[in-house]
């Protein structure tokens, strides 16, 4: 059948998703299963749901609808909005998920609007207790624990229903964070992660970031009612960068230590 042709308009050229690019995103094999998961929304929409599809079945199953997640950036905390900007995330609804690499049955993690939802083999999804406000969450390889950041500190919470979060770091403050990638790492070095699990799940490596030496940069929003402003520690060219230290800590909440790396005040942790 011959398709009707029409001229592309300016609106076509600038809309998101771009014409012809409405395919599923972030596909991933379900560990140990003949199935794949992915994010997809209705035609012409960037508001996506999480889907499961068995290889031998032509009927996809919706694991988590877009309605379960925030529908606009206005519902998200500022730190999450900034993270989205630095990672060029334009979609809404369900925007991220991950499978534990070595869990059996497979463990799924879906962060939505500061909540952490987990599931064995995809159903049913349930929220982890005590983890509201979580950012940058990652599963251990075995799927038994999740590391996340909140208010600049690193936490670990078991994926079992009885588990409660354990605080790993304890010295965040004004312009000091743990477990979060700093601006230069995300924007210039392509590193969005600020913490990493050891292969056996017993330890965490994480970035300790001190931006107190970076001058604040103010962005006013005079057009809003009432007016307000953002304040960021922005490392201008030729000025000071954040001081970044790599630390190791016990994932059960034990003491942490600095990793002795040949870094000076001008070094990057890539």
């Amino acid at each position: 059948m011959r398709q009707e042709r029409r001229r592309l308009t300016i609106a076509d050229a600038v809309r998101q998703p771009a014409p012809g690019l409405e395919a599923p995103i972030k596909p991933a094999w379900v560990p140990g299963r003949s199935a794949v998961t992915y994010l997809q929304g209705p035609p012409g929409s960037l508001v996506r749901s999480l889907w499961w599809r068995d290889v031998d079945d032509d009927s996809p199953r919706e694991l988590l609808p877009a309605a379960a997640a925030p529908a606009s950036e206005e519902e998200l905390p500022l730190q999450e909005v900034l993270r989205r900007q630095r990672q060029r995330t334009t979609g809404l609804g369900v925007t991220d998920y991950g499978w534990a690499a070595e869990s059996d049955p497979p463990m799924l993690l879906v962060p939505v609007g500061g909540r952490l939802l987990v599931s064995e083999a995809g159903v049913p999804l349930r929220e982890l207790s005590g983890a509201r406000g979580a950012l940058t969450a990652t599963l251990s390889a075995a799927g038994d624990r999740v590391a996340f950041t909140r208010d600049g500190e690193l936490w670990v919470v078991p994926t079992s229903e009885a588990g409660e979060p354990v605080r790993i770091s304890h010295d965040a403050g004004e312009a000091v964070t743990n477990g979060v990638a700093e601006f230069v790492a995300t924007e210039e070095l392509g590193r969005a992660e600020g913490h990493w699990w050891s292969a056996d799940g017993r330890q965490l490596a994480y970035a300790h970031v001190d931006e107190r030496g970076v001058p604040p940069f103010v962005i006013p929003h005079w057009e809003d009612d009432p007016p307000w402003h953002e304040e960021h520690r922005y490392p201008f060219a030729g000025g000071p960068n954040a001081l970044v230290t790599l630390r190791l800590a016990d994932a059960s909440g034990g003491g942490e230590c600095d990793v002795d790396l040949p870094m000076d005040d001008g070094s990057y942790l890539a």
Side-chain angles (χ1 to χ4, degrees), residues 208-224:
H208 172 77
V209 179
D210 186 344
E211 296 180 299
R212 288 175 293 183
V214 180
F217 179 70
V218 176
I219 304 174
H221 293 268
W222 300 114
E223 74 281 6
D224 291 342

Side-chain angles (χ1 to χ4, degrees), residues 26-89:
K26 297 191 176 181
W29 288 106
V30 180
R33 305 293 175 90
S34 297
V36 65
T37 47
Y38 56 90
L39 302 178
Q40 188 171 29
S45 174
L46 287 172
V47 183
R48 301 183 175 98
S49 301
L50 176 61
W51 295 85
W52 171 299
R53 189 165 195 151
D54 291 305
V55 172
D56 298 326
D57 188 351
D58 198 36
S59 300
R61 173 164 53 95
E62 191 177 41
L63 292 183
L64 188 65
S72 72
E73 284 198 343
E74 295 178 356
E75 301 176 44
L76 300 173
L78 178 59
Q79 290 303 315
E80 176 65 6
V81 173
L82 295 176
R83 187 191 68 83
R84 287 168 52 85
Q85 291 175 358
R86 293 170 186 174
Q87 294 187 251
R88 309 301 189 264
T89 300

Side-chain angles (χ1 to χ4, degrees), residues 113-162:
R115 298 181 297 140
L116 300 180
L117 307 181
V118 295
S119 168
E120 292 184 351
V123 287
L125 283 159
R126 57 180 172 82
E127 183 176 352
L128 291 180
S129 174
R132 288 288 179 105
L135 298 173
T136 61
T138 57
L139 273 166
S140 64
D144 59 335
R145 286 181 286 187
V146 177
F148 66 91
T149 59
R150 181 170 58 197
D151 299 328
E153 299 285 20
L154 184 63
W155 298 74
V156 168
V157 59
T159 53
S160 63
E161 294 192 47

Side-chain angles (χ1 to χ4, degrees), residues 49 87 127 133 135 171 176 196 216 261 267:
S49 301
Q87 294 187 251
E127 183 176 352
L135 298 173
D171 60 351
V176 177
W196 304 267
L261 298 175
S267 297

